Amino acid sequence: MQDNKIKKTTQQDRIFNYLVAYKSITNVEAYKRFGTFSLGRIICALRKKGFKIETVKRKGLNRFGDKVHFAEYVYKGV
């Protein structure tokens, strides 16, 4: 009998595919789109696999109008 298992995509796979398609992601986007609170861990794992991902520090406002700092991860290729 042949093994016809379909490999389930992981959060890491989905985030990597998103980075390739859209070139960047933030923690808020990762939570909204993929339900993950651990984007930093996933980015670290992708970097260990040899992917070049730059961390860009950003400033903005939260929903209350307070100034906030956050990271945007930008895909730079292999």
Side-chain angles (χ1 to χ4, degrees), residues 41-58:
R41 178 189 55 80
I42 292 169
I43 295 297
C44 183
L46 290 171
R47 286 176 175 154
K48 285 181 181 179
K49 290 182 175 183
F51 300 108
K52 294 178 183 156
I53 302 171
E54 180 182 322
T55 302
V56 179
K57 307 270 181 162
R58 299 281 186 210

Side-chain angles (χ1 to χ4, degrees), residues 6-20:
I6 297 174
K7 184 182 175 193
K8 185 177 177 183
T9 57
T10 64
Q11 276 187 336
Q12 188 178 97
D13 295 333
R14 291 187 293 272
I15 288 172
F16 175 72
N17 291 334
Y18 183 87
L19 276 170
V20 170

Side-chain angles (χ1 to χ4, degrees), residues 5 9 19 23-25 34-35 49-50 53 60 65 67 69 71 78:
K5 291 183 182 178
T9 57
L19 276 170
K23 306 300 180 217
S24 69
I25 192 167
F34 307 107
K49 290 182 175 183
I53 302 171
K67 293 179 183 177
H69 297 254
V78 181

